[in-house]
Amino acid sequence: MAWLNYHHLLYFWTVAREGGVAAASRRLRLSQSSISTQLRQLEEQLGQPLFDRSRRRMQLTEAGQTAFRYADEIFGLGREMVDVLQHGSAGRSVRLALGLTDTVQKMIAYRLIEPALQLPEGVQIHCEEDRLERLLPQLASHELDLVVSDEPLPAGSSIKAFNHPLGHSKVTIFAAPTLAGRLQPGFPASLDGAPFLLPTATAALRRDLDRWFDQLAIRPRIVGEFDDSALLKVFGQAGAGAFGAPKVVAREIARQYRVKPIGDAEGLVERYFAISVERRIKHPGVRAISNAARIDLFTDHG
């Protein structure tokens, strides 16, 4: 049995974290030549390159990404061991690597994830936000335990994963008080020609609002399109235009951004999904999120 040299692994892990040999050299207080030599020895032992050295900045190969994930877990366990022995910490917290699509509003995201924080053994959440198509490969390679999205896994996806419905919410239209006062009479027809703020085309809510406008033959005046839903609401707070958001967090939106609901977009429903590589969920954090959502997490208010 070949034994792993953990000094070599530490040097590799530090180079990957710091972004290069020079930065790792400063962190470890070792010469660059010493680190480079021991990196090559680790690659020889493992039988494949861990870094792509053909570019100016060293980038992990596919094998390097796999090695880095294991190294991160190994050194994480080492830190926990020291903490338990020195400070008497009781037990290990559960690590939940979570992907969140950037189209899920932050208030909704917290409501979905919060049940995992209540696990008796404790949880340590690692949350990465990105587009769904960028998160799914990380899910498939087990870098992520779960992806939370406002749309399900696309039909025909090459990623083998499963959709677990988390809940749904109606959509409410909001605006700053003065604008809301003008638009409430005759809603929703009053939105025709009115200033409106929209998410970008990658968001499920944007596509739903576009269809809703078409069905009602409404043509609002589009003032802005936003990737960031929080920034969109700040513009709405300033009176730049009306906007749509999930009704389930209507009270929080009205309080935080000092806007008023104009009315519900009848027929529009936003849905939320947990996407995992497990059909039957085993991870306790993922299970806590899924079970809580099915009970009453998304009961509409207001």
Side-chain angles (χ1 to χ4, degrees):
M1 177 179 178
W3 289 97
L4 180 65
N5 187 315
Y6 287 95
H7 283 99
H8 293 174
L9 187 65
L10 174 63
Y11 302 153
F12 156 74
W13 181 67
T14 306
V15 170
R17 280 168 56 92
E18 297 295 323
V21 172
S25 172
R26 291 190 293 270
R27 171 72 64 178
L28 295 169
R29 298 183 180 180
L30 294 171
S31 69
Q32 294 186 38
S33 60
S34 176
I35 292 174
S36 296
T37 298
Q38 296 187 61
L39 273 181
R40 291 194 186 92
Q41 290 175 358
L42 178 62
E43 289 176 322
E44 289 171 3
Q45 182 184 9
L46 296 177
Q48 48 192 317
L50 301 176
F51 288 100
D52 180 356
R53 295 174 172 82
S54 64
R55 305 175 185 180
R56 291 182 63 183
R57 178 181 173 87
M58 293 176 66
Q59 293 189 353
L60 290 169
T61 63
E62 186 174 346
Q65 292 173 5
T66 299
F68 180 77
R69 290 196 298 273
Y70 277 106
D72 209 37
E73 182 72 12
I74 287 168
F75 294 120
L77 284 170
R79 289 191 297 270
E80 289 177 9
M81 180 192 72
V82 172
D83 187 58
V84 168
L85 294 177
Q86 290 185 345
H87 306 291
S89 301
R92 292 181 56 206
S93 60
V94 175
R95 184 181 188 276
L96 175 61
L98 177 73
L100 177 68
T101 59
D102 52 14
T103 51
V104 175
Q105 300 195 36
K106 305 302 183 291
M107 293 178 184
I108 294 288
Y110 177 75
R111 184 172 290 195
L112 286 168
I113 298 167
E114 183 185 19
L117 300 175
Q118 310 305 319
L119 287 173
E121 59 267 52
V123 67
Q124 184 182 51
I125 293 175
H126 296 255
C127 190
E128 179 171 343
E129 187 179 17
D130 210 330
R131 295 182 179 179
L132 180 60
E133 63 268 22
R134 294 177 180 173
L135 294 173
L136 288 175
Q138 297 182 63
L139 181 70
S141 63
H142 302 280
E143 295 174 65
L144 298 174
D145 299 306
L146 175 74
V147 170
V148 173
S149 174
D150 58 355
E151 56 185 323
L153 181 75
S157 172
S158 60
I159 305 295
K160 185 178 180 181
F162 304 95
N163 296 310
H164 307 279
L166 293 181
H168 63 273
S169 174
K170 295 178 182 178
V171 174
T172 296
I173 307 300
F174 299 84
T178 301
L179 181 58
R182 296 205 312 264
L183 296 178
Q184 277 177 330
F187 177 84
S190 60
L191 295 177
D192 193 45
F196 208 92
L197 309 169
L198 285 171
T200 54
T202 58
L205 178 59
R206 167 61 183 271
R207 298 190 290 272
D208 290 343
L209 284 168
D210 283 344
R211 284 194 295 269
W212 186 65
F213 291 143
D214 286 342
Q215 290 167 3
L216 297 177
I218 291 172
R219 295 293 180 270
R221 176 168 56 88
I222 308 305
V223 174
E225 299 174 279
F226 300 83
D227 270 328
D228 188 328
S229 63
L231 181 60
L232 183 152
K233 294 181 184 68
V234 169
F235 273 70
Q237 178 182 1
F243 61 91
K247 183 177 181 179
V248 71
V249 288
R251 290 177 182 172
E252 292 93 328
I253 290 173
R255 181 173 59 251
Q256 180 173 338
Y257 294 97
R258 298 191 295 278
V259 293
K260 290 189 174 181
I262 302 170
D264 292 345
E266 293 297 333
L268 282 195
V269 177
E270 288 295 286
R271 303 185 185 279
Y272 303 92
F273 301 88
I275 304 174
S276 78
V277 292
E278 301 174 326
R279 185 188 295 274
R280 298 183 63 184
I281 298 172
K282 299 175 184 176
H283 191 292
V286 177
R287 193 164 57 242
I289 290 170
S290 181
N291 289 344
R294 280 200 292 266
I295 297 171
D296 64 351
L297 189 62
F298 275 75
T299 301
D300 279 342
H301 300 289

